[in-house]
Amino acid sequence: MPHIAIQMYPGRDAATKQRLAKALVETAARELSRSEEHFSVSITDIPQDAWKASVYDKVVASADTVIQPGYTM
């Protein structure tokens, strides 16, 4: 059961997050040839001042990261 985890700066409303989650599930289901009910999505707001330590440093160091950030910190 694939789970999609999104981390982003705060500021998006619930409707925007719901649309994003739905679009990601639709795309993932199509690409993985699975039904949408197999997917779950979480969205975590990370404050900008915590981004480097909470997200960036971990993503850059992870062997699981498929696409590295196109920015530096």
Side-chain angles (χ1 to χ4, degrees), residues 10 14 18 23 29 35 37 42-43 46 51-52 56 69-70:
Q18 187 66 38
S35 299
E37 67 265 8
S42 64
I43 298 177
I46 307 292
W51 188 262
K52 184 176 184 319
Y56 182 83

Side-chain angles (χ1 to χ4, degrees), residues 9-33:
Y9 287 168
R12 280 82 173 194
D13 61 27
T16 299
K17 291 176 181 179
Q18 187 66 38
R19 284 191 308 274
L20 173 60
K22 182 165 177 38
L24 291 170
V25 166
E26 289 171 355
T27 299
R30 182 179 62 249
E31 292 297 321
L32 298 175
S33 300

Side-chain angles (χ1 to χ4, degrees), residues 2-73:
H3 176 75
I4 300 167
I6 303 165
Q7 297 173 305
M8 61 185 178
Y9 287 168
R12 280 82 173 194
D13 61 27
T16 299
K17 291 176 181 179
Q18 187 66 38
R19 284 191 308 274
L20 173 60
K22 182 165 177 38
L24 291 170
V25 166
E26 289 171 355
T27 299
R30 182 179 62 249
E31 292 297 321
L32 298 175
S33 300
R34 301 294 297 180
S35 299
E36 291 182 17
E37 67 265 8
H38 290 108
F39 294 84
S40 58
V41 177
S42 64
I43 298 177
T44 305
D45 290 335
I46 307 292
Q48 187 172 358
D49 61 351
W51 188 262
K52 184 176 184 319
S54 296
V55 179
Y56 182 83
D57 291 343
K58 294 174 184 176
V59 167
V60 170
S62 175
D64 292 333
T65 300
V66 177
I67 299 175
Q68 290 286 332
Y71 61 92
T72 59
M73 297 194 86

